[in-house]
Amino acid sequence: MKTIIFLAGLLILSGCSNQKKKAAESATTETENVLELTDEQLKSISISTTILQEKTITHTLKLNGKVDVPPQNLISVSSALGGYVTSTKLLPGMHFRKGELLAEMEDNQYIQLQQDYLTATAQLENRKAEYDRQSELNRSKASSDKVYQQAKADYETLLISKQALQEKLRLINIRPDKVSAGNIKRTIGIFAPFDGYVTQVFVNVGKYVSPSDVLFELVNPRDLHLNLKVFEKDWENVKIGQPLIAYTNSSPEKKYRGKVILTGKAISEERAVEIHAHFDNPDPQLIPGLYMNAELEIPDAQTPALPEESIVSFEGREYVFTIREGNRFEMTVVQTGATGNGWTEIADAQALEGAKIVQSGAYTLLMALKNKAEE
């Protein structure tokens, strides 16, 4: 019986000891996070206060990608009928103007096409006259319907042939109204469809090219855009029309402004979505394939926030100083969110509701508290 009473006494003493130990540890921790200053010390520190405020925080989303051109601005030039290249001065990177001669080509089929067109034109005049004559005779019943129908068919067949030959001539840049018996050309010209520059040249003088062969690859730089990748978690925050600033790694000080014009609807294996942005003022120095960085401002909904200078970092955590009675300041851990416009979101705002929080001077208080702990 005495043994049982003795053991019970030990348990009670042990419990009391543990409670005292926990209370002592709690008091020590509280003391370590509280700084008390004298009036003289407080006068030497410039301290201002703030409280939690509802703010719309705009944070910057950093992206990377490359300069690209839409399909309609990247042109592969070929010849509709093929032929031998007789002249060209193009080199990759060379600029050209709309309507400028890019290359000349020759082939017997160009001559034959012009011959067929002139022959069809001459025969058409004869068929037209015969058709008009048979039409008049048929109205007066002096000619049978069969003869009239044949004359009409012959005329319309030649008319179709002439119109088709006209379109073929236009395909090789020969104006039908300029073709005559005394002006048959053996060469044709290939002209620039817009102002731009050459990216690739696939031919040389003397080479024969078929209609399926590409002679040159041309780029119209007026509609360059930026192809960027946005990670899945940020994609829904990107909207069409949002402004951005882009820059290259080699010249980060040179900024290019633009706007988002398109957002992708597919997620890649890297869990990213493509977005496209248009430059406000295209620069000749920007070429397809050039890697660029971009910064996109994302406005968040209103959220409890504090000025950035109120928050201090210590040993991997974020803190603020709340003002207690007298000249006492308590360092309180906080969970932060997005930062922008000089404000930082406070995720666990409930613990700071109604509290006065140090704004300017927070870092000075942190240094003073650290020095106190080392004493």
Side-chain angles (χ1 to χ4, degrees):
M1 186 68 177
K2 291 181 179 179
T3 303
I4 295 173
I5 295 173
F6 176 73
L7 290 174
L10 285 177
L11 290 173
I12 293 171
L13 289 174
S14 176
C16 292
S17 176
N18 288 336
Q19 290 178 359
K20 289 180 180 179
K21 184 178 179 181
K22 290 180 180 179
E25 288 177 353
S26 176
T28 301
T29 302
E30 183 177 352
T31 303
E32 288 177 352
N33 289 336
V34 174
L35 177 66
E36 185 170 0
L37 302 177
T38 64
D39 291 339
E40 291 299 322
Q41 288 174 324
L42 192 59
K43 289 179 182 179
S44 65
I45 301 175
S46 177
I47 291 178
S48 63
T49 62
T50 186
I51 59 173
L52 277 173
Q53 299 182 44
E54 291 289 324
K55 291 289 181 179
T56 301
I57 297 178
T58 300
H59 68 279
T60 300
L61 187 62
K62 294 188 176 181
L63 311 171
N64 58 72
K66 61 182 180 179
V67 178
D68 203 355
V69 289
Q72 64 269 25
N73 283 49
L74 182 62
I75 307 298
S76 296
V77 178
S78 59
S79 174
L81 296 181
Y84 292 91
V85 179
T86 58
S87 69
T88 182
K89 297 181 180 179
L90 293 189
L91 293 172
M94 185 177 292
H95 287 263
F96 55 80
R97 296 289 183 183
K98 182 177 180 179
E100 183 179 337
L101 181 65
L102 302 179
E104 284 188 320
M105 300 177 63
E106 69 175 10
D107 197 87
N108 288 333
Q109 60 185 325
Y110 309 152
I111 300 173
Q112 185 64 50
L113 185 58
Q114 294 170 84
Q115 178 184 341
D116 293 344
Y117 172 72
L118 291 174
T119 301
T121 301
Q123 291 177 346
L124 186 63
E125 293 179 3
N126 182 48
R127 291 289 187 271
K128 178 67 166 60
E130 178 64 16
Y131 168 65
D132 290 342
R133 190 174 73 84
Q134 290 297 332
S135 179
E136 185 65 30
L137 290 173
N138 185 259
R139 278 197 296 269
S140 62
K141 302 301 180 180
S143 174
S144 66
D145 290 343
K146 182 178 181 180
V147 174
Y148 166 72
Q149 292 293 340
Q150 184 62 50
K152 180 181 178 181
D154 291 343
Y155 166 68
E156 290 181 346
T157 299
L158 274 175
L159 181 62
I160 293 170
S161 296
K162 180 183 177 181
Q163 291 175 340
L165 289 167
Q166 283 180 336
E167 294 305 315
K168 288 183 179 180
L169 289 171
R170 292 189 180 99
L171 276 176
I172 58 175
N173 297 313
I174 294 178
R175 289 179 55 181
D177 60 329
K178 297 296 182 181
V179 178
S180 64
N183 185 30
I184 296 178
K185 298 180 179 180
R186 59 185 291 182
T187 62
I188 62 169
I190 296 177
F191 302 93
F194 49 74
D195 295 349
Y197 58 87
V198 183
T199 56
Q200 296 188 71
V201 177
F202 301 102
V203 297
N204 53 269
V205 174
K207 183 176 181 179
Y208 180 84
V209 293
S210 66
S212 61
D213 293 332
V214 176
L215 283 69
F216 316 105
E217 192 174 85
L218 313 177
V219 167
N220 185 349
R222 291 191 175 182
D223 198 24
L224 288 177
H225 65 260
L226 193 55
N227 187 341
L228 300 167
K229 290 185 177 180
V230 180
F231 285 110
E232 180 182 3
K233 65 183 180 67
D234 298 313
W235 169 72
E236 62 181 10
N237 294 321
V238 179
K239 308 297 181 185
I240 293 176
Q242 281 181 292
L244 58 79
I245 296 175
Y247 53 90
T248 62
N249 288 330
S250 57
S251 302
E253 73 285 349
K254 189 171 184 180
K255 307 296 184 182
Y256 300 91
R257 296 187 178 276
K259 290 183 177 64
V260 176
I261 60 171
L262 183 67
T263 60
K265 298 296 185 291
I267 300 176
S268 68
E269 294 181 358
E270 295 82 13
R271 312 309 301 171
V273 179
E274 288 188 354
I275 68 169
H276 298 269
H278 195 277
F279 293 103
D280 292 344
N281 296 300
D283 191 310
Q285 299 299 319
L286 299 177
I287 59 176
L290 179 67
Y291 282 94
M292 297 193 78
N293 302 307
E295 294 180 355
L296 184 67
E297 292 187 346
I298 305 295
D300 289 339
Q302 281 204 335
T303 182
L306 288 172
E308 287 186 57
E309 60 180 329
S310 295
I311 301 167
V312 293
S313 298
F314 180 59
E315 295 182 346
R317 305 185 74 177
E318 309 294 325
Y319 297 89
V320 297
F321 280 92
T322 57
I323 300 176
R324 299 176 66 174
E325 295 179 357
N327 298 339
R328 303 176 72 198
F329 303 88
E330 181 179 359
M331 187 171 74
T332 305
V333 64
V334 292
Q335 295 180 7
T336 59
T339 296
N341 300 337
W343 293 81
T344 298
E345 177 188 1
I346 304 299
D348 54 346
Q350 298 85 353
L352 298 177
E353 287 183 1
K356 285 187 177 181
I357 300 166
V358 174
Q359 181 172 341
S360 62
Y363 185 75
T364 303
L365 294 178
L366 174 64
M367 292 298 101
L369 190 61
K370 288 175 63 178
N371 292 334
K372 171 190 170 185
E374 292 173 358
E375 291 177 355

